[in-house]
Amino acid sequence: GLFYKALEMIASPKIPLPPFLSELKTPLAGGIEIGGIVNIVSASSLGKSSIINQAVIYWLKHCPYKMCVFSLEDNGGSYVIKLASNIIGKKLMSIEDDNERYQILKENEQKVLPYLVDENGNSKFVMLEEASTSIEDIERAILQAIKVHGCSIFVIDTLTNVILSKSIEEQAEFMLMEERLRRLYNVTFINLSHTRKLGNNEVMTPSDDMVKGASQIVGTATMNIILTRDKMSDDPIERNTTNISITKNRSTGITGNNLAKIYYDNSSHTLFSYDYASENDFFANGVPSRVDESLSTIVYDEIDNDDAEVVDIPF
């Protein structure tokens, strides 16, 4: 009966929060509920892809659900390079020498592979590389990922690129497709979206009104997360600190501006919770020589921080 369906649903494990999002544990009651639509929204080039990539790395080892990544920006090879950069702790594509880039990735093969394949050699996630943005084609690919590969989490990077060229009616149709599939198959969609361009007189206060596209994008979602960062700040700490606001939260009902902060440390190419970075004196370039996995996504045996420079978060 309905009561037993409720028991089954309430017993479903949540999607765990990676350590750099630990400040969201209270508003999200420990994690993200499976079976929802989560919009992660920010201005262009603010760093949301870096944030979701580090979350994906954590989920590949610590999440009970299989993921499917749909990216219009990356193919399978370029996406794995981005993941490997986080795992290794070096921005591979910023290295000028072609052979050096290759050698670093090859030397770290045994560090990277456990995130990509299981002990039987099967891929831990599915990558959708189809160029088509037809709603029918995307739905067909999603259904195949659900039924054939057993995927329960779908990361769409970015939703804006997928549907913004479509009419308002088609954008609404896409969101209704996500709503239908999440209800039928208890899957979660994580949509990366852009904010609309603000006029000179508009205040950058996080709100659902900031989201680019049809109103159904925020209306259909079970959770809207807004990221803001002053990437032009003269203060290097502020320039590398992302504020997280939750403007809609059907799960726990807890919303608010600046509920959590993330700090990007350039020397290790890694995101940390702001509290952890502050407690460990990151702002004085005091990165520890070893970061415990319970506090960060990745264990680093050694981090050379002698000439660390704080820079903007890469998109």
Side-chain angles (χ1 to χ4, degrees):
L2 293 177
F3 182 75
Y4 294 101
K5 285 187 177 181
L7 284 176
E8 182 181 352
M9 181 172 289
I10 206 167
S12 297
K14 289 188 173 183
I15 300 167
L17 295 173
F20 72 93
L21 293 177
S22 60
E23 294 173 31
L24 289 178
K25 281 187 177 178
T26 297
L28 299 187
I32 300 169
E33 281 189 345
I34 193 70
I37 298 174
V38 180
N39 291 324
I40 300 176
V41 186
S42 80
S44 179
S45 301
L46 201 84
K48 55 185 171 294
S49 288
S50 293
I51 290 170
I52 196 63
N53 288 348
Q54 189 163 317
V56 164
I57 289 168
Y58 181 79
W59 291 333
L60 287 171
K61 276 202 167 184
H62 301 282
C63 183
Y65 305 109
K66 190 169 184 177
M67 280 178 293
C68 177
V69 176
F70 179 38
S71 174
L72 288 184
E73 298 182 348
D74 292 300
N75 57 35
S78 62
Y79 187 73
V80 168
I81 289 171
K82 288 183 177 180
L83 296 186
S85 293
N86 280 106
I87 295 166
I88 297 168
K90 289 181 181 292
K91 290 174 282 188
L92 293 174
M93 295 312 294
S94 69
I95 298 171
E96 292 185 16
D97 185 82
D98 300 345
N99 186 59
E100 183 182 355
R101 287 198 305 269
Y102 177 87
Q103 288 302 323
I104 290 174
L105 183 57
K106 184 65 179 174
E107 288 167 4
N108 285 277
E109 181 177 357
Q110 296 310 310
K111 184 181 284 188
V112 174
L113 280 180
Y115 288 90
L116 307 181
V117 295
D118 61 22
E119 57 275 11
N120 298 315
N122 299 315
S123 177
K124 285 190 172 182
F125 70 97
V126 173
M127 183 87 188
L128 294 184
E129 301 180 68
E130 287 85 353
S132 173
T133 58
S134 156
I135 294 174
E136 293 78 13
D137 289 346
I138 293 173
E139 180 171 2
R140 193 177 300 113
I142 290 172
L143 284 170
Q144 183 177 22
I146 293 171
K147 295 178 179 181
V148 177
H149 301 289
C151 295
S152 296
I153 301 173
F154 291 84
V155 176
I156 300 181
D157 185 6
T158 64
L159 179 72
T160 308
N161 289 348
V162 173
I163 68 174
L164 202 62
S165 62
K166 302 182 183 302
S167 67
I168 294 297
E169 291 75 21
E170 287 176 312
Q171 291 179 38
E173 182 185 342
F174 187 95
M175 296 309 297
L176 289 173
M177 178 267 289
E178 286 194 348
E179 173 73 6
R180 182 172 65 255
L181 295 182
R182 74 135 184 133
R183 287 177 177 271
L184 283 173
Y185 299 102
N186 199 35
V187 297
T188 292
F189 291 94
I190 300 177
N191 301 316
L192 275 64
S193 301
H194 291 150
T195 57
R196 60 183 176 82
K197 291 187 182 296
L198 300 178
N200 293 333
N201 296 324
E202 293 189 66
V203 179
M204 192 72 168
T205 301
S207 73
D208 288 344
D209 294 336
M210 296 168 59
V211 182
K212 202 172 190 177
S215 61
Q216 283 82 0
I217 293 174
V218 296
T220 306
T222 55
M223 186 181 302
N224 292 320
I225 298 173
I226 310 286
L227 309 176
T228 54
R229 177 170 65 90
D230 187 356
K231 60 183 180 181
M232 302 304 292
S233 174
D234 292 331
D235 181 347
I237 296 171
E238 185 175 352
R239 191 169 66 242
N240 287 277
T241 297
T242 300
N243 293 289
I244 304 176
S245 301
I246 300 177
T247 57
K248 182 178 184 180
N249 184 356
R250 285 189 193 167
S251 177
T252 66
I254 299 174
T255 59
N257 288 338
N258 302 330
L259 294 175
K261 293 195 288 187
I262 305 170
Y263 178 72
Y264 172 73
D265 176 66
N266 182 58
S267 66
S268 58
H269 184 43
T270 306
L271 296 160
F272 297 90
S273 77
Y274 187 91
D275 286 349
Y276 177 74
S278 179
E279 289 165 4
N280 287 275
D281 203 25
F282 279 28
F283 308 141
N285 288 335
V287 179
S289 60
R290 185 175 176 85
V291 179
D292 189 270
E293 192 166 23
S294 65
L295 298 171
S296 177
T297 304
I298 304 144
V299 174
Y300 291 100
D301 293 326
E302 186 176 340
I303 295 175
D304 181 5
N305 194 48
D306 290 340
D307 296 307
E309 179 186 4
V310 181
V311 299
D312 286 345
I313 298 173
F315 182 67

